[in-house]
Amino acid sequence: MGFFRKSLLLFSLLFILLACNSNSYDIDVSDVTLPLTFHHSDSILSKPNPRTLISHRNELIQIDKDIAGYLFGYCYGIRINPDTSFLNGMSRYNNNPFVVRLELRINQQFEKKIPQHRASLTAAFKRMKYHFKDAPLPQHIFWVNSGFTSSVFCSEKSIALGLERYLGEKTDVIKELPNDRFFSWIKEGMAPQYLERDAVIGWLSTHHIEETKENYATEMIRWGKLLFITSACLPQEKESIILRYTSKDYDWALASEGALWKYIVDEQLLYNTGEDAKQSLLHEGPFTRGLPQESPDRMGQFLGYRMVKQYMETHDLSLNELKNTPYLKILQAYEAPEKK
């Protein structure tokens, strides 16, 4: 009888331990239907056949005119119509020796990785549909070469992902980018492991939780919501990946959370409505302005994420309820760790 009780107790403790370590957002989405299609604009547009180019251009315009305008007009600076102007522009772009090698590197590095990225993105947006049943979801994802214009562009129904920005900093074409425009910290961020994270957060920020335009505190917590929901859509990813940090930078941020909170309070930045606070604490850069140079950038986003995570750990809320939770309520509930 004693052995039975000990075994039962051991089993109960093991069950509790496993339950505590499980990710509540790592849900089964095999039964969730999502009509998401993928299009390879990167490889098709690099082909010199005029018929192929015009055919794909027309197809792209029919699927999503906004994506077509972004890719041809904004990224390439090419007039979509008439045909002669379009073909001449594409010919100039594709005959650029750097672009030829860039397309080659994209094809080499992503040919075998695309199926994995496609599966990961499909699962991520299925989770988004599970948590936000009536919210907008992408219908199309385009793999593109944006000419280093941007990583992610979202229209009303589609996402364009610039694969060239996920080649990795050690790739020769990335190393050759001019350092006066593409600083070392920008090149370091061109890593393939951030692709899914960028796609999800790009869609969320465009269609779910838009910029507040109020003060620093609301914008910081808005980023916290975005990052927390992104982590729920990508439950297998490390927090460092969700935050776009290296492991070293993530550890530095964790150790400095209390000091960061003290700095923000002492400098009276919480309710600051100026752009300077947002620029220094929320935007990308070599480090977070106002903090030591060994700090990672966007420490305000990190703190917003920590606030939201702490709030969700102490409140029984769905992600949809989190999205609608007032920013001030999350701010007032936050308990900063002691400064180390």
Side-chain angles (χ1 to χ4, degrees), residues 169 173-187:
E169 63 174 315
V173 290
I174 302 301
K175 289 181 178 180
E176 293 170 24
L177 292 172
N179 293 327
D180 59 342
R181 288 179 53 211
F182 297 91
F183 306 113
S184 58
W185 58 269
I186 294 177
K187 294 179 181 180

mmCIF file of all heavy atoms in Angstrom, residues 169 173-187:
data_model
loop_
_atom_site.group_PDB
_atom_site.id
_atom_site.type_symbol
_atom_site.label_atom_id
_atom_site.label_comp_id
_atom_site.label_asym_id
_atom_site.label_seq_id
_atom_site.Cartn_x
_atom_site.Cartn_y
_atom_site.Cartn_z
ATOM 1 N N GLU A 169 24.427 37.011 -43.083
ATOM 2 C CA GLU A 169 25.455 38.048 -43.217
ATOM 3 C C GLU A 169 26.750 37.547 -43.847
ATOM 4 O O GLU A 169 27.532 38.344 -44.399
ATOM 5 C CB GLU A 169 25.769 38.647 -41.837
ATOM 6 C CG GLU A 169 26.354 37.655 -40.849
ATOM 7 C CD GLU A 169 26.782 38.310 -39.553
ATOM 8 O OE1 GLU A 169 27.423 39.380 -39.615
ATOM 9 O OE2 GLU A 169 26.476 37.759 -38.482
ATOM 10 N N VAL A 173 27.103 38.119 -51.417
ATOM 11 C CA VAL A 173 26.349 39.279 -51.913
ATOM 12 C C VAL A 173 25.912 40.201 -50.777
ATOM 13 O O VAL A 173 25.729 41.405 -50.986
ATOM 14 C CB VAL A 173 25.116 38.832 -52.740
ATOM 15 C CG1 VAL A 173 25.546 38.226 -54.073
ATOM 16 C CG2 VAL A 173 24.255 37.855 -51.952
ATOM 17 N N ILE A 174 25.765 39.659 -49.581
ATOM 18 C CA ILE A 174 25.421 40.493 -48.422
ATOM 19 C C ILE A 174 26.655 41.272 -47.967
ATOM 20 O O ILE A 174 26.575 42.462 -47.659
ATOM 21 C CB ILE A 174 24.865 39.637 -47.269
ATOM 22 C CG1 ILE A 174 23.634 38.847 -47.730
ATOM 23 C CG2 ILE A 174 24.526 40.523 -46.068
ATOM 24 C CD1 ILE A 174 22.506 39.699 -48.232
ATOM 25 N N LYS A 175 27.799 40.607 -47.959
ATOM 26 C CA LYS A 175 29.045 41.281 -47.588
ATOM 27 C C LYS A 175 29.351 42.446 -48.516
ATOM 28 O O LYS A 175 29.931 43.453 -48.107
ATOM 29 C CB LYS A 175 30.208 40.292 -47.616
ATOM 30 C CG LYS A 175 30.200 39.263 -46.500
ATOM 31 C CD LYS A 175 31.414 38.360 -46.624
ATOM 32 C CE LYS A 175 31.480 37.346 -45.497
ATOM 33 N NZ LYS A 175 32.673 36.460 -45.625
ATOM 34 N N GLU A 176 28.949 42.323 -49.788
ATOM 35 C CA GLU A 176 29.269 43.346 -50.782
ATOM 36 C C GLU A 176 28.344 44.565 -50.738
ATOM 37 O O GLU A 176 28.619 45.569 -51.401
ATOM 38 C CB GLU A 176 29.204 42.728 -52.186
ATOM 39 C CG GLU A 176 30.276 41.690 -52.441
ATOM 40 C CD GLU A 176 30.047 40.937 -53.731
ATOM 41 O OE1 GLU A 176 29.364 41.474 -54.626
ATOM 42 O OE2 GLU A 176 30.546 39.800 -53.849
ATOM 43 N N LEU A 177 27.292 44.498 -49.993
ATOM 44 C CA LEU A 177 26.400 45.650 -49.896
ATOM 45 C C LEU A 177 27.154 46.831 -49.307
ATOM 46 O O LEU A 177 27.960 46.663 -48.386
ATOM 47 C CB LEU A 177 25.191 45.315 -49.009
ATOM 48 C CG LEU A 177 24.213 44.281 -49.558
ATOM 49 C CD1 LEU A 177 23.185 43.908 -48.489
ATOM 50 C CD2 LEU A 177 23.496 44.802 -50.801
ATOM 51 N N PRO A 178 26.922 48.049 -49.811
ATOM 52 C CA PRO A 178 27.684 49.215 -49.331
ATOM 53 C C PRO A 178 27.482 49.461 -47.840
ATOM 54 O O PRO A 178 26.351 49.535 -47.357
ATOM 55 C CB PRO A 178 27.128 50.365 -50.174
ATOM 56 C CG PRO A 178 25.801 49.883 -50.682
ATOM 57 C CD PRO A 178 25.931 48.409 -50.840
ATOM 58 N N ASN A 179 28.590 49.598 -47.138
ATOM 59 C CA ASN A 179 28.535 49.751 -45.675
ATOM 60 C C ASN A 179 27.952 51.084 -45.224
ATOM 61 O O ASN A 179 27.528 51.207 -44.074
ATOM 62 C CB ASN A 179 29.939 49.581 -45.087
ATOM 63 C CG ASN A 179 30.465 48.164 -45.247
ATOM 64 O OD1 ASN A 179 29.684 47.201 -45.202
ATOM 65 N ND2 ASN A 179 31.761 48.026 -45.449
ATOM 66 N N ASP A 180 27.928 52.076 -46.116
ATOM 67 C CA ASP A 180 27.377 53.365 -45.717
ATOM 68 C C ASP A 180 25.850 53.369 -45.732
ATOM 69 O O ASP A 180 25.219 54.288 -45.216
ATOM 70 C CB ASP A 180 27.915 54.480 -46.618
ATOM 71 C CG ASP A 180 27.592 54.264 -48.090
ATOM 72 O OD1 ASP A 180 27.262 53.120 -48.470
ATOM 73 O OD2 ASP A 180 27.665 55.242 -48.863
ATOM 74 N N ARG A 181 25.259 52.333 -46.325
ATOM 75 C CA ARG A 181 23.797 52.183 -46.321
ATOM 76 C C ARG A 181 23.364 50.970 -45.524
ATOM 77 O O ARG A 181 22.353 51.001 -44.829
ATOM 78 C CB ARG A 181 23.263 52.056 -47.756
ATOM 79 C CG ARG A 181 23.312 53.346 -48.561
ATOM 80 C CD ARG A 181 22.780 53.092 -49.963
ATOM 81 N NE ARG A 181 21.459 52.469 -49.930
ATOM 82 C CZ ARG A 181 21.024 51.618 -50.867
ATOM 83 N NH1 ARG A 181 21.803 51.277 -51.879
ATOM 84 N NH2 ARG A 181 19.816 51.113 -50.777
ATOM 85 N N PHE A 182 24.130 49.900 -45.637
ATOM 86 C CA PHE A 182 23.803 48.660 -44.932
ATOM 87 C C PHE A 182 24.871 48.442 -43.860
ATOM 88 O O PHE A 182 25.885 47.779 -44.095
ATOM 89 C CB PHE A 182 23.743 47.485 -45.908
ATOM 90 C CG PHE A 182 22.660 47.613 -46.940
ATOM 91 C CD1 PHE A 182 22.913 48.218 -48.162
ATOM 92 C CD2 PHE A 182 21.383 47.139 -46.684
ATOM 93 C CE1 PHE A 182 21.915 48.339 -49.117
ATOM 94 C CE2 PHE A 182 20.374 47.260 -47.630
ATOM 95 C CZ PHE A 182 20.648 47.870 -48.852
ATOM 96 N N PHE A 183 24.628 49.030 -42.690
ATOM 97 C CA PHE A 183 25.589 48.947 -41.597
ATOM 98 C C PHE A 183 25.730 47.493 -41.125
ATOM 99 O O PHE A 183 24.894 46.634 -41.436
ATOM 100 C CB PHE A 183 25.156 49.852 -40.447
ATOM 101 C CG PHE A 183 24.910 51.275 -40.862
ATOM 102 C CD1 PHE A 183 23.637 51.817 -40.821
ATOM 103 C CD2 PHE A 183 25.955 52.067 -41.316
ATOM 104 C CE1 PHE A 183 23.396 53.120 -41.204
ATOM 105 C CE2 PHE A 183 25.739 53.378 -41.701
ATOM 106 C CZ PHE A 183 24.454 53.914 -41.658
ATOM 107 N N SER A 184 26.759 47.236 -40.353
ATOM 108 C CA SER A 184 27.033 45.863 -39.911
ATOM 109 C C SER A 184 25.862 45.278 -39.140
ATOM 110 O O SER A 184 25.533 44.098 -39.290
ATOM 111 C CB SER A 184 28.305 45.826 -39.061
ATOM 112 O OG SER A 184 28.180 46.676 -37.930
ATOM 113 N N TRP A 185 25.193 46.102 -38.317
ATOM 114 C CA TRP A 185 24.074 45.583 -37.524
ATOM 115 C C TRP A 185 22.871 45.247 -38.415
ATOM 116 O O TRP A 185 22.076 44.368 -38.075
ATOM 117 C CB TRP A 185 23.672 46.556 -36.423
ATOM 118 C CG TRP A 185 23.266 47.922 -36.862
ATOM 119 C CD1 TRP A 185 24.076 49.018 -37.002
ATOM 120 C CD2 TRP A 185 21.945 48.356 -37.219
ATOM 121 N NE1 TRP A 185 23.348 50.104 -37.419
ATOM 122 C CE2 TRP A 185 22.038 49.725 -37.557
ATOM 123 C CE3 TRP A 185 20.707 47.731 -37.272
ATOM 124 C CZ2 TRP A 185 20.923 50.475 -37.959
ATOM 125 C CZ3 TRP A 185 19.599 48.472 -37.661
ATOM 126 C CH2 TRP A 185 19.710 49.821 -38.003
ATOM 127 N N ILE A 186 22.747 45.926 -39.560
ATOM 128 C CA ILE A 186 21.680 45.590 -40.505
ATOM 129 C C ILE A 186 21.981 44.250 -41.157
ATOM 130 O O ILE A 186 21.104 43.385 -41.280
ATOM 131 C CB ILE A 186 21.528 46.693 -41.570
ATOM 132 C CG1 ILE A 186 21.050 47.995 -40.927
ATOM 133 C CG2 ILE A 186 20.551 46.255 -42.658
ATOM 134 C CD1 ILE A 186 20.929 49.161 -41.892
ATOM 135 N N LYS A 187 23.220 44.054 -41.578
ATOM 136 C CA LYS A 187 23.610 42.792 -42.216
ATOM 137 C C LYS A 187 23.485 41.619 -41.244
ATOM 138 O O LYS A 187 23.092 40.516 -41.627
ATOM 139 C CB LYS A 187 25.036 42.896 -42.751
ATOM 140 C CG LYS A 187 25.210 43.891 -43.891
ATOM 141 C CD LYS A 187 26.657 43.953 -44.366
ATOM 142 C CE LYS A 187 26.811 44.971 -45.490
ATOM 143 N NZ LYS A 187 28.209 45.057 -45.982
#
